[in-house]
Amino acid sequence: MPNLTSYSAAYIADARAKIDLQLATYHAFLIAAQTGEDTAAMGAARDAFEPVFLRNLVLAMDHYFDAIPPEAESRDGDPINEVRALSDCIMHNHHKFQSDGHIALSPSTTVLGLKNGDDIRLTVPDFKRLADAFFAEISERYPEA
């Protein structure tokens, strides 16, 4: 990742809007959980909160291993590549999946099976499958020396 010394106003506003959305979604979830009486409201709050939370877990998972130089990574569409692509799309493509063309990410072979243009809206089982595959691949490709 290149070092940056400045950011456009649009980039800063977009980042701020994403953080504000996360806080608002979490706040709505908390209110629904605290009232506890309206199960429909709780379900709606959970449904809004879950994909935001899980997208952030994808970002965190990617960030834990961002010191791996790109030239050391394969380009075969493995779960590491999938997480990198998801992170890039979450950060820079408004949660719409888009393969960059340099990595062989096919819906038939990736963990999530996303196609270009699909909304990145994970469920807990989706995230668990992705995380399990990602950490297995990290363990296999980059074991302690």
Side-chain angles (χ1 to χ4, degrees):
M1 174 169 226
N3 293 325
L4 297 175
T5 58
S6 66
Y7 297 93
S8 72
Y11 182 87
I12 294 168
D14 187 52
R16 180 59 187 246
K18 289 174 183 175
I19 296 300
D20 289 346
L21 174 64
Q22 292 171 43
L23 288 172
T25 305
Y26 177 67
H27 181 69
F29 183 70
L30 279 181
I31 289 171
Q34 289 169 350
T35 60
E37 295 175 16
D38 187 349
T39 57
M42 183 62 185
R46 183 199 64 236
D47 291 347
F49 178 74
E50 186 174 89
V52 174
F53 175 68
L54 295 173
R55 284 191 295 256
N56 280 321
L57 287 182
V58 170
L59 295 174
M61 195 165 56
D62 180 43
H63 194 67
Y64 277 115
F65 300 97
D66 68 355
I68 299 170
E71 62 274 6
E73 290 185 17
S74 71
R75 298 272 184 235
D76 62 358
D78 64 35
I80 299 168
N81 299 151
E82 187 172 0
V83 166
R84 297 279 193 247
L86 288 166
S87 291
D88 286 345
C89 294
I90 290 165
M91 291 295 295
H92 306 294
N93 201 32
H94 304 285
H95 315 135
K96 298 290 183 196
F97 185 75
Q98 183 68 45
S99 178
D100 70 3
H102 296 109
I103 300 171
L105 291 173
S106 167
S108 63
T109 59
T110 57
V111 176
L112 299 177
L114 295 175
K115 298 181 291 294
N116 286 342
D118 283 352
D119 189 36
I120 301 170
R121 188 170 180 87
L122 305 175
T123 63
V124 171
D126 290 338
F127 180 78
K128 179 82 170 101
R129 282 192 339 271
L130 181 65
D132 289 348
F134 176 82
F135 285 112
E137 193 74 25
I138 288 285
S139 297
E140 181 181 317
R141 288 192 187 252
Y142 305 103
E144 187 174 24

